[in-house]
Amino acid sequence: MAVKIYGVSGATGTQHVLVVAKELGVPYTIVPVDMKAGAHKTAEYIATMHPFGQTPVLEDEDGFKVYEARAIGRYLAAKAGDERLLPRTDVKKLAHFEQAASVEQHDFHPLALGIALERYYKPLRGQATDEKRVAELEAALVEKLKVYEVILGKTKYLAGDVSVFLPYLRYPFAQRLVTDQFLKATPNVARWWADISSRASWKANGRVRVPRQRRVF
């Protein structure tokens, strides 16, 4: 049996979930959601899948559902009992995990999302990229990476020496934004990036595509 992941494989939230599932060895089936047609905003979808009309949503084998990428990742790791991704038995390691997760969500993600919106999503919608805004966001991101550099000079990962990468950053944003420009002056970040981006789960996710099949939503 496999869990069902409702979403779009190219969407950042869905990719985040796919990386975690691959890392844990959790079998899954991708159920395509036709967001271009507004399937995620239908009354049925909102009532049964995600009250805010978003993706991804995970449906477990017993019918249990959970939405929001970060929550899904935590759920899968907790259910698998994988201490590498979600330390639970050591309260101090768990504190460092939550610390890193909070930093990712509030310090890294807003900047990465802003750049992604300008560089990737606006052109897809036929809109012009605001280069001034991109420059501002990239400058702010560089400053955040400088802090990461200090942290990673002391530990293997951002949450310590055990937890791998679950709380750190949204995989697709990192893949698109972490370039030589950002890594040149941060060798510890470069070492960490080479480590996590070379993992089999990370590489496999880059090849995942939504299968051609009838869309459920």
Side-chain angles (χ1 to χ4, degrees):
M1 295 289 289
V3 301
K4 295 179 182 178
I5 300 173
Y6 295 80
V8 180
S9 67
T12 58
T14 303
Q15 289 185 340
H16 176 98
V17 173
L18 296 180
V19 170
V20 175
K22 284 284 188 180
E23 181 71 21
L24 293 168
V26 174
Y28 63 83
T29 298
I30 302 175
V31 182
V33 177
D34 193 350
M35 298 183 73
K36 289 185 178 180
H40 58 307
K41 298 299 184 181
T42 64
E44 178 188 3
Y45 186 90
I46 290 174
T48 63
M49 303 300 294
H50 196 309
F52 295 98
Q54 300 171 2
T55 62
V57 177
L58 179 137
E59 181 178 359
D60 210 338
E61 298 170 358
D62 61 358
F64 173 76
K65 294 175 184 174
V66 58
Y67 54 85
E68 292 298 311
R70 292 179 179 85
I72 295 171
R74 281 173 165 82
Y75 170 73
L76 290 174
K79 183 179 179 182
D82 194 315
E83 294 284 324
R84 299 171 306 121
L85 268 67
L86 182 62
R88 297 181 300 163
T89 58
D90 187 321
V91 66
K92 293 180 180 179
K93 290 180 179 179
L94 178 60
H96 281 163
F97 171 94
E98 293 296 349
Q99 177 178 271
S102 181
V103 168
E104 180 277 326
Q105 187 167 358
H106 299 288
D107 289 283
F108 177 89
H109 182 69
L111 298 173
L113 175 61
I115 296 172
L117 287 173
E118 292 291 341
R119 285 288 190 210
Y120 300 99
Y121 299 120
K122 274 191 173 182
L124 288 175
R125 299 169 184 164
Q127 301 172 345
T129 296
D130 184 339
E131 295 294 345
K132 180 180 179 181
R133 178 60 177 157
V134 171
E136 293 172 349
L137 291 168
E138 287 183 342
L141 182 59
V142 166
E143 293 305 309
K144 299 297 182 182
L145 289 179
K146 288 179 180 179
V147 179
Y148 275 19
E149 175 70 9
V150 174
I151 296 172
L152 291 168
K154 302 174 182 178
T155 59
K156 184 175 181 179
Y157 301 112
L158 291 169
D161 292 323
V162 178
S163 187
V164 182
F165 61 75
L166 180 58
Y168 306 146
L169 46 78
R170 294 290 280 276
Y171 157 79
F173 290 151
Q175 185 182 46
R176 295 170 185 173
L177 301 177
V178 178
T179 63
D180 290 341
Q181 172 188 352
F182 294 116
L183 299 179
K184 188 178 299 183
T186 53
N188 291 323
V189 174
R191 182 266 309 160
W192 165 77
W193 172 251
D195 183 329
I196 63 173
S197 63
S198 65
R199 301 185 70 83
S201 56
W202 196 281
K203 292 181 176 180
N205 183 67
R207 295 192 295 271
V208 171
R209 295 291 182 271
V210 170
R212 294 184 178 276
Q213 63 184 65
R214 181 180 66 82
R215 294 178 182 272
V216 176
F217 286 98

